[in-house]
Amino acid sequence: MPLHISNDDASFIVLFHNNPNPMWIVEVDTLQFKEVNEAAIKHYGYTRDEFLNKIKLSNIRPVHEQQEMLNLIKRIKHSQTIKKELTHIKKNGRFIHVNITSYNVVFNGFYCRMVIIHDITQQKQKDAKLIEALDRINETLESITDGFITLDRKLRVTYWNKEAARILSINKQTVLNKKLWELYPYYRELNVFKQFKKSLEYKATIKFEEHIVQLKKWVCFTVYPGADGLAVYFQDITSQKHGEEQINLKNESLDQIAYINSHIIRKPLANIMGIINSLEGLPCDNEHMVQPIKMLKQSATELDNRIKEINTRVEKTLK
């Protein structure tokens, strides 16, 4: 049963005309304004006379939404309360976003809808800017070459970019809003779990390397604590680690070469020098030269073999 009201109703005067929000009463069949309050006049820019005698509800709505408006009017004829977000047009042509609450009333004998309007244009603009900013942030996080994830204070995953999915071989849909170590228990045994908890507890930035055997990868993590949880950047450093291993192996080979040069080669070389020294001052006849020359040849051969061994090791090191 619709509410019956009139301009003579004292409570209506207080609740309608003194309301700080724009309000109007529109006849359902004709879409003519039957009453408007002062807030609506100020907000929309029309005079009271223009509202009541020169324009209709259709003038307030964009042309492309006219049919939607008519369909809504037909649907709400027997509805008690309607709440909806709409687009309105002020007298100056400016479009605004509004939330309306509409009630069935009988006003001075006419079947009408009484409408309360809340202008949400500024909030919509703020929301749009926030969404735009979040989209830019998301685009940046998805394009970086680092894995990036965020976790709440209960260490549930709240963000997981595509590089994180590639490095850890886990897609976003699988892990979002879940705890990594509950899905993959081996993470609880790794240093990852301990370092995440430590960063959260002590509010400390922590950088560490982790060998994830199951993935056959080395990963470098940097964990940043925040008010809402953790932000984590990480990189696949497997190639770097393999490079370090190769460098270490080469260094070991070079150490061996240095040992050979300083100890093994020195012995035959010292022998050669000793033999040469023993030959000095001896008569140069064949009988005295046979044995020294034989010994010199043996030492030279030994030195030649050692040099070949060194060359072989150097070649392997340089490959």
Side-chain angles (χ1 to χ4, degrees):
M1 189 74 177
L3 178 67
H4 288 254
I5 57 176
S6 70
N7 276 326
D8 298 328
D9 190 336
S11 61
F12 168 71
I13 293 173
V14 173
L15 295 176
F16 184 86
H17 288 286
N18 295 333
N19 198 305
N21 293 307
M23 293 184 69
W24 54 55
I25 297 175
V26 177
E27 186 179 2
V28 173
D29 292 330
T30 64
L31 300 184
Q32 290 182 325
F33 291 97
K34 290 299 183 179
E35 190 57 273
V36 293
N37 70 354
E38 189 63 27
I41 292 170
K42 289 181 178 179
H43 199 72
Y44 284 83
Y46 292 101
T47 65
R48 178 181 177 79
D49 179 65
E50 287 173 325
F51 263 116
L52 300 183
N53 300 308
K54 296 181 180 179
I55 66 171
K56 294 183 178 182
L57 182 62
S58 54
N59 297 106
I60 304 293
R61 298 295 304 280
V63 173
H64 65 275
E65 294 183 5
Q66 295 290 318
Q67 189 58 50
E68 179 187 349
M69 177 192 67
L70 294 174
N71 294 337
L72 178 61
I73 293 295
K74 291 178 182 179
R75 291 199 305 271
I76 68 175
K77 279 189 176 182
H78 303 291
S79 300
Q80 290 300 311
T81 304
I82 292 292
K83 294 185 178 181
K84 192 171 180 63
E85 183 178 322
L86 301 173
T87 304
H88 281 178
I89 308 173
K90 292 186 175 184
K91 183 179 180 179
N92 61 10
R94 181 187 171 194
F95 283 71
I96 60 173
H97 299 280
V98 298
N99 276 332
I100 63 105
T101 305
S102 174
Y103 306 91
N104 264 339
V105 296
V106 175
F107 180 71
N108 293 334
F110 294 94
Y111 181 76
C112 301
R113 300 290 294 188
M114 182 168 65
V115 183
I116 305 174
I117 299 106
H118 296 273
D119 191 332
I120 59 170
T121 306
Q122 289 187 351
Q123 186 59 51
K124 291 279 286 187
Q125 290 172 345
K126 289 179 182 178
D127 291 345
K129 289 180 180 179
L130 178 60
I131 291 171
E132 183 181 351
L134 290 174
D135 286 343
R136 287 198 300 268
I137 292 171
N138 185 68
E139 184 178 350
T140 300
L141 292 175
E142 288 298 323
S143 64
I144 62 176
T145 56
D146 290 352
F148 177 76
I149 65 175
T150 59
L151 303 97
D152 63 18
R153 297 195 63 80
K154 293 184 178 180
L155 296 181
R156 291 174 300 203
V157 173
T158 54
Y159 187 83
W160 191 273
N161 75 349
K162 64 181 181 181
E163 187 63 10
R166 186 193 70 80
I167 293 174
L168 300 182
S169 301
I170 304 171
N171 63 51
K172 180 188 294 187
Q173 289 71 27
T174 299
V175 76
L176 207 60
N177 299 318
K178 297 181 178 66
K179 295 181 180 180
L180 181 61
W181 21 87
E182 289 181 353
L183 292 173
Y184 303 92
Y186 60 82
Y187 275 99
R188 186 178 289 275
E189 305 302 322
L190 296 174
N191 199 32
V192 172
F193 179 70
K194 297 175 184 176
Q195 296 295 349
F196 282 12
K197 291 192 69 176
K198 180 179 178 182
S199 177
L200 191 62
E201 181 178 355
Y202 295 100
K203 295 181 174 57
T205 298
I206 298 176
K207 185 173 183 178
F208 63 97
E209 296 177 358
E210 185 77 86
H211 184 218
I212 305 177
V213 177
Q214 291 78 0
L215 301 179
K216 298 180 180 179
K217 290 180 179 179
W218 278 92
V219 180
C220 180
F221 292 90
T222 306
V223 188
Y224 299 93
D228 299 324
L230 300 176
V232 184
Y233 291 86
F234 52 94
Q235 305 89 29
D236 182 347
I237 59 169
T238 308
S239 297
Q240 176 183 329
K241 281 292 184 180
H242 287 166
E244 291 176 359
E245 290 176 3
Q246 292 301 316
I247 291 173
N248 290 336
L249 289 174
K250 289 183 179 181
N251 286 338
E252 289 178 5
S253 295
L254 291 174
D255 287 342
Q256 292 177 0
I257 290 172
Y259 177 82
I260 291 171
N261 280 328
S262 61
H263 295 85
I264 299 177
I265 293 179
R266 189 173 183 182
K267 178 184 175 183
L269 183 60
N271 290 338
I272 291 174
M273 294 302 297
I275 293 169
I276 293 173
N277 290 334
S278 67
L279 290 176
E280 289 181 353
L282 293 178
C284 296
D285 57 79
N286 291 338
E287 184 179 349
H288 290 88
M289 294 294 295
V290 172
Q291 188 60 28
I293 291 174
K294 182 178 179 181
M295 293 172 62
L296 184 62
K297 185 176 181 180
Q298 287 177 345
S299 295
T301 301
E302 184 179 354
L303 179 59
D304 183 53
N305 290 335
R306 294 293 181 266
I307 292 173
K308 288 179 181 178
E309 182 180 344
I310 292 172
N311 289 337
T312 300
R313 288 180 177 271
V314 170
E315 288 174 1
K316 288 182 179 179
T317 302
L318 295 176
K319 286 183 179 179

